[in-house]
Amino acid sequence: MKFNRFWAATAVAGLLISGLIFTGPAAAGETTIKIGNIIPLSGPSASVGQQGKNAREMAVEEINAAGGIKSLGGAKLEMLYADSESKPERGVSEAERLINTEKVNVLTGCWNSAVTYPTTAVAERYGVPFIVPVSVSDKITEQGFKNVFRIAAKDSWWTRDQFAFLKDMQTEFNTPVKKLAFVYENGDWGKGMAGQWKMLAEKDGYEVVLDEPYPSTATDLSPVVQKIRRSRADVLLLVSNAADAILLTNTLAEYKVRLKAIVATGGGHADPFFIKAVGKNARYLFDIVEWEADINKPGAKETNAKYKAKYGYNLTGEAVDAYVSMYVIKDALERAASFDKDAIRKALAETNLTSGPGMIVGYDAVQFDNSGQNSHASPVIVQINDAGNGLERITVWPKSARRAGYTPVFPKP
Amino acid sequence: MIYLIEDTINGILMGSIYGLTALGLTIIFGVLKVVNFAHGTLLMVSMYAAYWTVSLSGLHPYLALVIVVPVMYVFGYYLQDIVIKPIFKAEKDVREPSTVIIVTTGVWYVLDNLTLMVFGPQYRSLPDNPLQGKMIELGEMFISVPKLWGAITAVATAYAVYYFFQKTRTGRAIRACSLDRDAASLSGINQYKIYNMAFGLGTAVTGIAAVTLVPFYNTFPSVGVLFDIKGFIIVVLGGLGSIPGAIIGGIIVGIIESVGPQFMTATWTEAIVYGLFLLVLFVKPSGLFGVKYDW
C-alpha cells in the first residue's frame, strides 16, 4: 500500500515537473500552428461532422498551398481532429487532451450546442481561443468568456431576421402587412421560436391573430388550416418538422388560404424531399437558412463547385461556417504574428474580415462583439419558385445576397 | 355557425376514415382475441402497395383497390399462417394468448425497418391524380373530395363486413370460432383456417383504408405508428370487436379533432381524446358498442 502511494505520488510529481519543463520550450521552435477540432465524427450527428471536417480540410489545404501564415515565416496550419460522438463529456475530455497533450494553439467545434457549451468552459480556463463555427444556442456566447468566438448567427437572430425580412419586403413592394399568424410544432424548438416571435411582433406593432401550436404527429391538419383561413392573417410564420410541413403546405393549398406570404423556419421545409413531395404547392414559400448554393457572392459558386467535385455534394450552411472559420483563424494569425495564445486571442477579438476566399457568406464582414459573437452573421432567406429550371430554392434576402436577375414574388399571387 | 357545420362535416369524414383504419384491428381482435400490434405496420405496407400501384400505373387511386385488397388478403393470410399460428398453437389453452402480442410487435419492428432500408426515409405523396387537392366549394364551405370518397368507402366497407359475418356461411363459422374455439372445432370448423381467413380479412380491410388515405396523405416507413395509437383508442371507445363501434368511435375522435381546435389550441384536443378514452374505460370498459359477450 505504502509502496503504491509512493509511486503514485512520484508519478504525479514527475508529470507536473515534465509539464513545467516542456510547456516552455515547446512554443519556441514551432513551424506549424496546431488547430484542434472537436466535432462529431461518429454517432447520431456524424454526417454533419464529416461535412464540417471536409470544409475545414479544404480551407486549410488552400491556406497552406498559398504559403501558410506569412507573418510567421510561412508557418503551416496543422489540423488535429477529435471525435465528440455528440457527447458533452467526450467534448470536455478531448478539449483537455488537445490543450494539455497536443498543445494546440486554437480550438474549434463542436456543432452540437450541448457539447460546445461545457467544452468552451475548458478552453476559457486554459485561455485557449475557441472558434465556434456553428452551435446556435444563445447561451454559448452569454457566459462572459473572453476566448469564445462564434461565426454563425445565434438562435434569437433567426427570428430577428425573419422580422427584418418582413419589414424590408413591405417597403420594397409597398404592401403593408398587419396581421400575423404563428403556427408551430409543439416542441422546444417551435415553442422557443414562437416566444421570440411574440416579443418581436409586439415591438414592431403587428397584430397577432393566431398563435397555434400543433402536435407534429397530427394525421389531419385541416382544423389548423381552417383556423389560419378564418384568422384572415396577412403572413403566416411556421416552424415544422418533416411530415407536418408537407401536410400543412398541401392542406393550405387545398383550402385556398389567401396569404401575402408564408415564412418557414428551416426544419421540415428545408428537407431535401420537401419540394419533391409537395410540388407546385410549395411555390412562393419563403424559408430561412444559413447559406444557399446560389448566393450572389464572388467566389461562392467556384468554392461550391470545388467542394462538390471533391466530396460529391453541395456545401451546406454548416460547412460554409467551418470553411470561414479557417480563414478567420488565418487572418488573426497574420495580424498576431505570434504563437502566443493571448496574442492570437487579442487578434481574433479585433477581427474585421471583409474579403478573401472565406467571405462567401451572405453578409459583408466577420467582426466579433464583446461576447465573441460575430455581429454581422445573419441567415439568408430563400424563396421556392421556378426560375426556368423547375422549382428550386432561390436566395432573396438580404438584398446584397439576392440571386442576380431574380425578383421575389411578394405578395403571393 | 357555418364554421361549426364545416368542421363537423370534416370531422365526420376524417373520423370515418379513422374508423376504417381501425376496422381491421377490431376484426382481428374479435376473432383471434389478440391485440395486433403490427396493425399500423400492415397499414403502412398497404399504403406502399397502393402508392406504387397508383404512381406506376397512373390510374385513378381507387382502382388500386383491385390490386391492393387481394394482395393484402394474401399477405395477412400467410402472415398469420406462417408467423403467428405456431405461437397460437403453443398457447392454445389460453383464451387471450399474450405471447402473440409480442410476436406482432416483432412483425411491426421488422417490417418498419425493412421498409426503411428498402425505400428510405422519404415522404412520398402521389403525383397529380383525379382526387388530389379537389374540394367541393359551397360558398364559404369547403369539403374535401378525397375525404368524402374515403368516408363513403368506410361506411360501405363496414356494412359489407357486417353482412359477411351475419349472413354468409364462412362469416358464421368465423363468429362461431370467436365465441367458442373448442365448440367450433367440435362442430367441424377448422379453427386455424378460420384464423388465417380472419387475419387476411382484417389486413384486406386495412388495405382499403390505405387506398382511401393515399390520395391525400404521405407514405413513409413510420406512418403506421400515427394511425396505430388512434386505432387502439377508437377500437376501445367503440368496443373491441364491434364493427359499427369502430366507425362510430372513429367519427367521435374525428369530430373532437376537427371541432375542438376552434375553441382551443390543437394540442388540447389530443388531451380530450385521451380523457374520453379513460372515461369510457372507467364507466363502460367494454366500450360504447361492445357487449359483455363478444357478438
Side-chain angles (χ1 to χ4, degrees), chain A residues 153 157-173 263 286-292 294-297 361-363 376-383 393-404 406-408:
Chain A
W157 292 8
W158 289 67
T159 50
R160 181 200 68 186
D161 281 5
Q162 285 173 320
F163 275 74
F165 160 76
L166 264 185
K167 200 175 259 175
D168 287 356
M169 282 290 122
Q170 293 177 61
T171 357
E172 188 175 345
F173 294 93
V263 183
F286 293 102
D287 192 15
I288 186 162
V289 285
E290 283 264 65
W291 190 84
E292 204 61 47
D294 74 337
I295 205 159
N296 184 20
K297 287 286 260 191
V361 288
Y363 43 90
H376 293 273
S378 65
V380 294
I381 287 180
V382 298
Q383 181 168 45
R393 297 162 68 88
I394 302 165
T395 307
V396 294
W397 188 91
K399 231 176 160 180
S400 58
R402 183 177 291 174
R403 183 191 286 194
Y406 181 77
T407 319

Short mmCIF file of all heavy atoms in Angstrom, two decimals, chain A residues 153 157-173 263 286-292 294-297 361-363 376-383 393-404 406-408:
data_model
loop_
_atom_site.label_atom_id
_atom_site.label_comp_id
_atom_site.label_asym_id
_atom_site.label_seq_id
_atom_site.Cartn_x
_atom_site.Cartn_y
_atom_site.Cartn_z
N ALA A 153 -24.94 32.74 -36.85
CA ALA A 153 -25.95 33.53 -36.16
C ALA A 153 -26.50 32.71 -35.01
O ALA A 153 -26.58 31.49 -35.08
CB ALA A 153 -27.08 33.88 -37.11
N TRP A 157 -31.41 35.35 -33.39
CA TRP A 157 -31.25 36.18 -34.58
C TRP A 157 -32.06 35.65 -35.76
O TRP A 157 -32.33 36.38 -36.69
CB TRP A 157 -29.77 36.30 -34.96
CG TRP A 157 -29.01 37.09 -33.94
CD1 TRP A 157 -29.46 37.53 -32.73
CD2 TRP A 157 -27.65 37.53 -34.05
NE1 TRP A 157 -28.47 38.21 -32.09
CE2 TRP A 157 -27.35 38.23 -32.86
CE3 TRP A 157 -26.66 37.39 -35.03
CZ2 TRP A 157 -26.11 38.80 -32.63
CZ3 TRP A 157 -25.43 37.96 -34.80
CH2 TRP A 157 -25.16 38.66 -33.61
N TRP A 158 -32.36 34.39 -35.72
CA TRP A 158 -33.17 33.83 -36.81
C TRP A 158 -34.53 34.50 -36.84
O TRP A 158 -35.00 34.94 -37.88
CB TRP A 158 -33.33 32.31 -36.63
CG TRP A 158 -32.07 31.55 -36.86
CD1 TRP A 158 -30.94 31.60 -36.10
CD2 TRP A 158 -31.78 30.65 -37.94
NE1 TRP A 158 -29.99 30.78 -36.64
CE2 TRP A 158 -30.47 30.18 -37.75
CE3 TRP A 158 -32.52 30.19 -39.02
CZ2 TRP A 158 -29.88 29.29 -38.62
CZ3 TRP A 158 -31.92 29.27 -39.88
CH2 TRP A 158 -30.62 28.84 -39.68
N THR A 159 -35.15 34.58 -35.66
CA THR A 159 -36.46 35.23 -35.59
C THR A 159 -36.30 36.72 -35.91
O THR A 159 -37.11 37.29 -36.63
CB THR A 159 -37.07 35.07 -34.18
OG1 THR A 159 -36.09 35.45 -33.23
CG2 THR A 159 -37.47 33.64 -33.94
N ARG A 160 -35.23 37.32 -35.41
CA ARG A 160 -34.98 38.74 -35.68
C ARG A 160 -34.94 38.98 -37.19
O ARG A 160 -35.53 39.92 -37.71
CB ARG A 160 -33.64 39.14 -35.04
CG ARG A 160 -33.25 40.58 -35.22
CD ARG A 160 -31.75 40.77 -35.01
NE ARG A 160 -30.98 40.13 -36.06
CZ ARG A 160 -29.66 40.03 -36.06
NH1 ARG A 160 -28.96 40.51 -35.06
NH2 ARG A 160 -29.02 39.44 -37.06
N ASP A 161 -34.23 38.08 -37.91
CA ASP A 161 -34.09 38.26 -39.35
C ASP A 161 -35.39 37.99 -40.10
O ASP A 161 -35.65 38.61 -41.13
CB ASP A 161 -32.97 37.38 -39.89
CG ASP A 161 -31.62 38.00 -39.60
OD1 ASP A 161 -31.60 39.04 -38.92
OD2 ASP A 161 -30.60 37.46 -40.05
N GLN A 162 -36.19 37.08 -39.58
CA GLN A 162 -37.49 36.87 -40.23
C GLN A 162 -38.31 38.16 -40.18
O GLN A 162 -38.96 38.53 -41.14
CB GLN A 162 -38.25 35.73 -39.53
CG GLN A 162 -37.69 34.37 -39.88
CD GLN A 162 -38.33 33.26 -39.07
OE1 GLN A 162 -38.58 33.41 -37.88
NE2 GLN A 162 -38.56 32.12 -39.71
N PHE A 163 -38.22 38.86 -39.06
CA PHE A 163 -38.99 40.11 -38.93
C PHE A 163 -38.35 41.24 -39.75
O PHE A 163 -39.07 42.05 -40.33
CB PHE A 163 -39.16 40.48 -37.45
CG PHE A 163 -40.33 39.79 -36.84
CD1 PHE A 163 -40.28 38.44 -36.52
CD2 PHE A 163 -41.53 40.46 -36.61
CE1 PHE A 163 -41.37 37.78 -35.98
CE2 PHE A 163 -42.63 39.81 -36.08
CZ PHE A 163 -42.55 38.47 -35.76
N ALA A 164 -37.02 41.26 -39.79
CA ALA A 164 -36.36 42.28 -40.61
C ALA A 164 -36.72 42.08 -42.08
O ALA A 164 -36.99 43.03 -42.83
CB ALA A 164 -34.85 42.19 -40.42
N PHE A 165 -36.77 40.82 -42.48
CA PHE A 165 -37.14 40.46 -43.85
C PHE A 165 -38.55 40.95 -44.16
O PHE A 165 -38.81 41.54 -45.21
CB PHE A 165 -37.02 38.95 -44.02
CG PHE A 165 -37.79 38.37 -45.18
CD1 PHE A 165 -37.32 38.51 -46.46
CD2 PHE A 165 -38.98 37.68 -44.96
CE1 PHE A 165 -38.03 37.97 -47.53
CE2 PHE A 165 -39.69 37.15 -46.01
CZ PHE A 165 -39.22 37.30 -47.31
N LEU A 166 -39.46 40.70 -43.22
CA LEU A 166 -40.85 41.12 -43.42
C LEU A 166 -40.94 42.63 -43.63
O LEU A 166 -41.65 43.12 -44.51
CB LEU A 166 -41.68 40.77 -42.18
CG LEU A 166 -42.47 39.47 -42.21
CD1 LEU A 166 -43.30 39.35 -40.95
CD2 LEU A 166 -43.35 39.40 -43.45
N LYS A 167 -40.18 43.36 -42.82
CA LYS A 167 -40.19 44.82 -42.90
C LYS A 167 -39.66 45.26 -44.28
O LYS A 167 -40.26 46.10 -44.95
CB LYS A 167 -39.33 45.39 -41.77
CG LYS A 167 -39.64 46.84 -41.45
CD LYS A 167 -38.86 47.30 -40.25
CE LYS A 167 -39.69 47.32 -38.99
NZ LYS A 167 -38.93 47.64 -37.78
N ASP A 168 -38.54 44.66 -44.68
CA ASP A 168 -37.93 45.03 -45.98
C ASP A 168 -38.86 44.73 -47.14
O ASP A 168 -38.94 45.49 -48.10
CB ASP A 168 -36.61 44.28 -46.17
CG ASP A 168 -35.52 44.83 -45.28
OD1 ASP A 168 -35.79 45.83 -44.58
OD2 ASP A 168 -34.42 44.26 -45.26
N MET A 169 -39.55 43.60 -47.06
CA MET A 169 -40.45 43.23 -48.15
C MET A 169 -41.58 44.25 -48.28
O MET A 169 -41.99 44.61 -49.38
CB MET A 169 -41.05 41.85 -47.88
CG MET A 169 -40.12 40.70 -48.17
SD MET A 169 -39.85 40.50 -49.93
CE MET A 169 -38.09 40.66 -50.02
N GLN A 170 -42.07 44.69 -47.14
CA GLN A 170 -43.18 45.66 -47.18
C GLN A 170 -42.75 46.95 -47.85
O GLN A 170 -43.50 47.54 -48.62
CB GLN A 170 -43.66 45.96 -45.76
CG GLN A 170 -44.32 44.77 -45.11
CD GLN A 170 -44.73 45.10 -43.68
OE1 GLN A 170 -45.51 45.99 -43.44
NE2 GLN A 170 -44.17 44.38 -42.73
N THR A 171 -41.53 47.41 -47.54
CA THR A 171 -41.06 48.65 -48.17
C THR A 171 -40.78 48.42 -49.64
O THR A 171 -41.17 49.22 -50.49
CB THR A 171 -39.76 49.14 -47.50
OG1 THR A 171 -39.45 48.28 -46.43
CG2 THR A 171 -39.92 50.56 -46.99
N GLU A 172 -40.11 47.31 -49.95
CA GLU A 172 -39.71 47.08 -51.33
C GLU A 172 -40.92 46.93 -52.24
O GLU A 172 -40.92 47.42 -53.37
CB GLU A 172 -38.83 45.82 -51.42
CG GLU A 172 -38.23 45.62 -52.80
CD GLU A 172 -37.27 44.44 -52.87
OE1 GLU A 172 -36.85 43.94 -51.80
OE2 GLU A 172 -36.96 44.02 -53.98
N PHE A 173 -41.96 46.27 -51.79
CA PHE A 173 -43.10 46.01 -52.66
C PHE A 173 -44.32 46.86 -52.29
O PHE A 173 -45.38 46.68 -52.86
CB PHE A 173 -43.46 44.52 -52.64
CG PHE A 173 -42.38 43.68 -53.23
CD1 PHE A 173 -41.39 43.12 -52.45
CD2 PHE A 173 -42.33 43.48 -54.61
CE1 PHE A 173 -40.38 42.37 -53.01
CE2 PHE A 173 -41.32 42.72 -55.17
CZ PHE A 173 -40.33 42.17 -54.37
N VAL A 263 -43.75 32.28 -44.26
CA VAL A 263 -42.33 32.29 -43.92
C VAL A 263 -42.06 31.10 -42.99
O VAL A 263 -42.58 31.05 -41.88
CB VAL A 263 -41.92 33.61 -43.23
CG1 VAL A 263 -40.42 33.62 -42.95
CG2 VAL A 263 -42.32 34.81 -44.08
N PHE A 286 -41.39 31.21 -48.46
CA PHE A 286 -40.09 31.72 -48.00
C PHE A 286 -39.58 30.83 -46.89
O PHE A 286 -40.35 30.36 -46.06
CB PHE A 286 -40.23 33.15 -47.47
CG PHE A 286 -40.56 34.16 -48.52
CD1 PHE A 286 -41.85 34.65 -48.67
CD2 PHE A 286 -39.58 34.63 -49.39
CE1 PHE A 286 -42.15 35.59 -49.64
CE2 PHE A 286 -39.87 35.57 -50.37
CZ PHE A 286 -41.17 36.05 -50.50
N ASP A 287 -38.26 30.63 -46.87
CA ASP A 287 -37.67 29.81 -45.83
C ASP A 287 -36.35 30.45 -45.41
O ASP A 287 -35.68 31.07 -46.23
CB ASP A 287 -37.44 28.38 -46.36
CG ASP A 287 -37.11 27.41 -45.25
OD1 ASP A 287 -37.34 27.75 -44.08
OD2 ASP A 287 -36.62 26.30 -45.56
N ILE A 288 -35.99 30.30 -44.13
CA ILE A 288 -34.75 30.93 -43.64
C ILE A 288 -33.69 29.84 -43.45
O ILE A 288 -33.97 28.78 -42.90
CB ILE A 288 -35.02 31.73 -42.35
CG1 ILE A 288 -33.79 32.51 -41.92
CG2 ILE A 288 -35.52 30.86 -41.21
CD1 ILE A 288 -34.09 33.63 -40.94
N VAL A 289 -32.48 30.09 -43.99
CA VAL A 289 -31.39 29.10 -43.89
C VAL A 289 -30.07 29.82 -43.66
O VAL A 289 -29.98 31.03 -43.78
CB VAL A 289 -31.26 28.25 -45.18
CG1 VAL A 289 -32.35 27.22 -45.26
CG2 VAL A 289 -31.23 29.12 -46.40
N GLU A 290 -29.05 29.05 -43.34
CA GLU A 290 -27.73 29.62 -43.10
C GLU A 290 -27.07 30.12 -44.39
O GLU A 290 -26.40 31.13 -44.41
CB GLU A 290 -26.82 28.55 -42.50
CG GLU A 290 -27.07 28.30 -41.06
CD GLU A 290 -26.13 29.11 -40.19
OE1 GLU A 290 -26.21 30.36 -40.21
OE2 GLU A 290 -25.30 28.52 -39.52
N TRP A 291 -27.24 29.36 -45.45
CA TRP A 291 -26.49 29.64 -46.68
C TRP A 291 -27.14 28.83 -47.78
O TRP A 291 -27.68 27.77 -47.55
CB TRP A 291 -25.05 29.17 -46.50
CG TRP A 291 -24.09 29.58 -47.56
CD1 TRP A 291 -23.42 30.76 -47.64
CD2 TRP A 291 -23.65 28.79 -48.68
NE1 TRP A 291 -22.61 30.77 -48.75
CE2 TRP A 291 -22.73 29.58 -49.39
CE3 TRP A 291 -23.97 27.52 -49.15
CZ2 TRP A 291 -22.11 29.12 -50.55
CZ3 TRP A 291 -23.35 27.07 -50.30
CH2 TRP A 291 -22.42 27.87 -50.98
N GLU A 292 -27.12 29.33 -48.99
CA GLU A 292 -27.69 28.56 -50.10
C GLU A 292 -26.69 28.59 -51.26
O GLU A 292 -26.01 29.58 -51.46
CB GLU A 292 -29.04 29.18 -50.49
CG GLU A 292 -30.00 28.27 -51.17
CD GLU A 292 -30.44 27.06 -50.36
OE1 GLU A 292 -30.78 27.21 -49.18
OE2 GLU A 292 -30.43 25.95 -50.93
N ASP A 294 -26.76 29.14 -54.27
CA ASP A 294 -26.86 30.13 -55.36
C ASP A 294 -26.54 31.54 -54.89
O ASP A 294 -26.77 32.51 -55.60
CB ASP A 294 -28.28 30.10 -55.94
CG ASP A 294 -29.29 30.76 -55.03
OD1 ASP A 294 -29.02 30.84 -53.82
OD2 ASP A 294 -30.34 31.20 -55.53
N ILE A 295 -26.00 31.69 -53.68
CA ILE A 295 -25.82 33.02 -53.10
C ILE A 295 -24.98 33.92 -54.02
O ILE A 295 -24.04 33.47 -54.67
CB ILE A 295 -25.20 32.87 -51.69
CG1 ILE A 295 -25.52 34.06 -50.83
CG2 ILE A 295 -23.71 32.64 -51.78
CD1 ILE A 295 -25.40 33.75 -49.35
N ASN A 296 -25.38 35.18 -54.07
CA ASN A 296 -24.76 36.11 -55.02
C ASN A 296 -23.53 36.76 -54.40
O ASN A 296 -23.51 37.94 -54.10
CB ASN A 296 -25.81 37.17 -55.41
CG ASN A 296 -25.28 38.13 -56.45
OD1 ASN A 296 -24.32 37.82 -57.14
ND2 ASN A 296 -25.92 39.28 -56.55
N LYS A 297 -22.47 35.95 -54.20
CA LYS A 297 -21.23 36.48 -53.65
C LYS A 297 -20.10 35.98 -54.52
O LYS A 297 -20.10 34.82 -54.95
CB LYS A 297 -21.03 35.97 -52.22
CG LYS A 297 -21.95 36.60 -51.21
CD LYS A 297 -21.55 38.01 -50.89
CE LYS A 297 -20.78 38.04 -49.59
NZ LYS A 297 -20.56 39.39 -49.07
N VAL A 361 -19.98 34.10 -47.50
CA VAL A 361 -21.20 34.09 -46.69
C VAL A 361 -22.15 35.19 -47.16
O VAL A 361 -21.78 36.05 -47.95
CB VAL A 361 -20.86 34.28 -45.19
CG1 VAL A 361 -20.23 33.03 -44.65
CG2 VAL A 361 -19.96 35.48 -45.00
N GLY A 362 -23.37 35.18 -46.63
CA GLY A 362 -24.39 36.12 -47.07
C GLY A 362 -24.21 37.53 -46.55
O GLY A 362 -24.90 38.44 -46.99
N TYR A 363 -23.29 37.75 -45.59
CA TYR A 363 -23.11 39.08 -45.00
C TYR A 363 -21.74 39.63 -45.39
O TYR A 363 -20.95 38.94 -46.04
CB TYR A 363 -23.29 39.01 -43.50
CG TYR A 363 -22.64 37.82 -42.83
CD1 TYR A 363 -21.34 37.89 -42.36
CD2 TYR A 363 -23.32 36.61 -42.72
CE1 TYR A 363 -20.74 36.80 -41.77
CE2 TYR A 363 -22.72 35.51 -42.14
CZ TYR A 363 -21.42 35.61 -41.66
OH TYR A 363 -20.82 34.53 -41.10
N HIS A 376 -22.02 40.39 -37.50
CA HIS A 376 -22.61 40.55 -38.83
C HIS A 376 -23.37 39.31 -39.28
O HIS A 376 -24.10 39.36 -40.25
CB HIS A 376 -21.52 40.85 -39.86
CG HIS A 376 -20.87 42.17 -39.66
ND1 HIS A 376 -21.38 43.32 -40.21
CD2 HIS A 376 -19.79 42.53 -38.95
CE1 HIS A 376 -20.60 44.35 -39.86
NE2 HIS A 376 -19.64 43.89 -39.09
N ALA A 377 -23.16 38.20 -38.57
CA ALA A 377 -23.75 36.93 -39.01
C ALA A 377 -25.25 37.08 -39.21
O ALA A 377 -25.93 37.68 -38.40
CB ALA A 377 -23.50 35.84 -37.98
N SER A 378 -25.73 36.57 -40.30
CA SER A 378 -27.17 36.57 -40.48
C SER A 378 -27.51 35.46 -41.45
O SER A 378 -26.79 35.20 -42.39
CB SER A 378 -27.65 37.91 -41.02
OG SER A 378 -27.12 38.11 -42.31
N PRO A 379 -28.59 34.79 -41.19
CA PRO A 379 -29.04 33.77 -42.12
C PRO A 379 -29.56 34.44 -43.39
O PRO A 379 -29.72 35.67 -43.41
CB PRO A 379 -30.17 33.08 -41.38
CG PRO A 379 -30.19 33.63 -40.00
CD PRO A 379 -29.50 34.93 -40.05
N VAL A 380 -29.80 33.69 -44.42
CA VAL A 380 -30.40 34.24 -45.63
C VAL A 380 -31.82 33.68 -45.75
O VAL A 380 -32.14 32.66 -45.17
CB VAL A 380 -29.60 33.91 -46.90
CG1 VAL A 380 -28.25 34.57 -46.86
CG2 VAL A 380 -29.47 32.42 -47.10
N ILE A 381 -32.63 34.39 -46.53
CA ILE A 381 -33.99 33.90 -46.76
C ILE A 381 -34.11 33.53 -48.23
O ILE A 381 -33.63 34.25 -49.11
CB ILE A 381 -35.03 34.94 -46.30
CG1 ILE A 381 -35.03 34.93 -44.76
CG2 ILE A 381 -36.41 34.64 -46.85
CD1 ILE A 381 -35.97 35.88 -44.12
N VAL A 382 -34.69 32.37 -48.46
CA VAL A 382 -34.86 31.89 -49.83
C VAL A 382 -36.34 31.83 -50.16
O VAL A 382 -37.19 31.77 -49.28
CB VAL A 382 -34.25 30.47 -50.02
CG1 VAL A 382 -32.76 30.49 -49.74
CG2 VAL A 382 -34.94 29.46 -49.14
N GLN A 383 -36.62 31.89 -51.45
CA GLN A 383 -38.00 31.68 -51.89
C GLN A 383 -38.00 30.47 -52.81
O GLN A 383 -37.12 30.32 -53.65
CB GLN A 383 -38.53 32.90 -52.63
CG GLN A 383 -39.99 32.71 -53.07
CD GLN A 383 -40.64 33.99 -53.54
OE1 GLN A 383 -40.06 34.76 -54.30
NE2 GLN A 383 -41.87 34.23 -53.11
N ARG A 393 -34.76 26.49 -54.61
CA ARG A 393 -34.64 27.47 -53.53
C ARG A 393 -33.75 28.61 -54.02
O ARG A 393 -32.60 28.41 -54.38
CB ARG A 393 -34.05 26.81 -52.30
CG ARG A 393 -34.95 25.71 -51.74
CD ARG A 393 -34.20 24.79 -50.81
NE ARG A 393 -33.81 25.48 -49.59
CZ ARG A 393 -34.59 25.56 -48.52
NH1 ARG A 393 -35.76 25.01 -48.52
NH2 ARG A 393 -34.18 26.18 -47.45
N ILE A 394 -34.31 29.83 -54.04
CA ILE A 394 -33.61 30.97 -54.61
C ILE A 394 -33.37 32.00 -53.51
O ILE A 394 -34.31 32.42 -52.83
CB ILE A 394 -34.45 31.61 -55.74
CG1 ILE A 394 -34.73 30.56 -56.82
CG2 ILE A 394 -33.76 32.83 -56.31
CD1 ILE A 394 -35.82 30.95 -57.78
N THR A 395 -32.12 32.40 -53.30
CA THR A 395 -31.81 33.37 -52.26
C THR A 395 -32.39 34.73 -52.63
O THR A 395 -32.20 35.22 -53.73
CB THR A 395 -30.28 33.49 -52.09
OG1 THR A 395 -29.76 32.18 -51.90
CG2 THR A 395 -29.94 34.35 -50.89
N VAL A 396 -33.13 35.35 -51.68
CA VAL A 396 -33.75 36.64 -51.97
C VAL A 396 -33.38 37.72 -50.95
O VAL A 396 -33.52 38.91 -51.23
CB VAL A 396 -35.29 36.53 -52.02
CG1 VAL A 396 -35.73 35.68 -53.18
CG2 VAL A 396 -35.86 35.99 -50.72
N TRP A 397 -32.93 37.32 -49.77
CA TRP A 397 -32.68 38.30 -48.73
C TRP A 397 -31.50 37.87 -47.90
O TRP A 397 -31.37 36.69 -47.65
CB TRP A 397 -33.93 38.43 -47.85
CG TRP A 397 -33.90 39.53 -46.84
CD1 TRP A 397 -34.35 40.81 -47.00
CD2 TRP A 397 -33.37 39.47 -45.51
NE1 TRP A 397 -34.13 41.54 -45.86
CE2 TRP A 397 -33.53 40.74 -44.92
CE3 TRP A 397 -32.75 38.47 -44.76
CZ2 TRP A 397 -33.11 41.04 -43.64
CZ3 TRP A 397 -32.33 38.76 -43.47
CH2 TRP A 397 -32.52 40.04 -42.91
N PRO A 398 -30.60 38.75 -47.46
CA PRO A 398 -30.61 40.19 -47.70
C PRO A 398 -30.37 40.55 -49.17
O PRO A 398 -29.85 39.73 -49.92
CB PRO A 398 -29.47 40.71 -46.82
CG PRO A 398 -28.59 39.53 -46.59
CD PRO A 398 -29.45 38.32 -46.66
N LYS A 399 -30.73 41.75 -49.51
CA LYS A 399 -30.71 42.16 -50.91
C LYS A 399 -29.33 41.99 -51.54
O LYS A 399 -29.20 41.65 -52.70
CB LYS A 399 -31.16 43.61 -51.03
CG LYS A 399 -32.26 43.75 -52.07
CD LYS A 399 -32.79 45.16 -52.14
CE LYS A 399 -33.49 45.35 -53.49
NZ LYS A 399 -34.03 46.70 -53.62
N SER A 400 -28.27 42.21 -50.73
CA SER A 400 -26.91 42.11 -51.26
C SER A 400 -26.58 40.69 -51.69
O SER A 400 -25.68 40.46 -52.48
CB SER A 400 -25.92 42.59 -50.20
OG SER A 400 -26.06 41.80 -49.04
N ALA A 401 -27.31 39.71 -51.15
CA ALA A 401 -27.02 38.31 -51.48
C ALA A 401 -28.01 37.75 -52.49
O ALA A 401 -27.92 36.59 -52.87
CB ALA A 401 -27.05 37.47 -50.21
N ARG A 402 -28.97 38.56 -52.91
CA ARG A 402 -30.04 38.07 -53.77
C ARG A 402 -29.50 37.56 -55.11
O ARG A 402 -28.58 38.14 -55.69
CB ARG A 402 -31.05 39.19 -54.02
CG ARG A 402 -32.24 38.77 -54.85
CD ARG A 402 -33.22 39.91 -54.99
NE ARG A 402 -33.87 40.20 -53.72
CZ ARG A 402 -34.69 41.23 -53.53
NH1 ARG A 402 -34.93 42.08 -54.51
NH2 ARG A 402 -35.24 41.43 -52.35
N ARG A 403 -30.08 36.49 -55.60
CA ARG A 403 -29.65 35.95 -56.89
C ARG A 403 -29.87 37.00 -57.99
O ARG A 403 -30.94 37.59 -58.08
CB ARG A 403 -30.44 34.69 -57.24
CG ARG A 403 -29.96 34.06 -58.55
CD ARG A 403 -30.88 32.98 -59.04
NE ARG A 403 -30.75 31.77 -58.22
CZ ARG A 403 -31.25 30.60 -58.59
NH1 ARG A 403 -31.90 30.47 -59.73
NH2 ARG A 403 -31.12 29.55 -57.83
N ALA A 404 -28.82 37.19 -58.79
CA ALA A 404 -28.88 38.22 -59.82
C ALA A 404 -30.05 37.94 -60.77
O ALA A 404 -30.25 36.82 -61.22
CB ALA A 404 -27.57 38.25 -60.59
N TYR A 406 -33.24 37.96 -60.17
CA TYR A 406 -34.47 37.40 -59.62
C TYR A 406 -35.19 38.43 -58.76
O TYR A 406 -34.58 39.09 -57.92
CB TYR A 406 -34.17 36.15 -58.78
CG TYR A 406 -35.43 35.52 -58.22
CD1 TYR A 406 -36.25 34.75 -59.03
CD2 TYR A 406 -35.81 35.71 -56.89
CE1 TYR A 406 -37.42 34.18 -58.53
CE2 TYR A 406 -36.97 35.15 -56.39
CZ TYR A 406 -37.77 34.39 -57.22
OH TYR A 406 -38.93 33.83 -56.72
N THR A 407 -36.48 38.60 -59.00
CA THR A 407 -37.29 39.46 -58.15
C THR A 407 -38.22 38.57 -57.34
O THR A 407 -38.95 37.77 -57.91
CB THR A 407 -38.17 40.40 -59.01
OG1 THR A 407 -37.38 40.85 -60.10
CG2 THR A 407 -38.68 41.56 -58.20
N PRO A 408 -38.16 38.69 -56.03
CA PRO A 408 -39.04 37.84 -55.22
C PRO A 408 -40.52 38.13 -55.51
O PRO A 408 -40.86 39.26 -55.89
CB PRO A 408 -38.69 38.20 -53.79
CG PRO A 408 -37.70 39.26 -53.83
CD PRO A 408 -37.31 39.56 -55.22
#
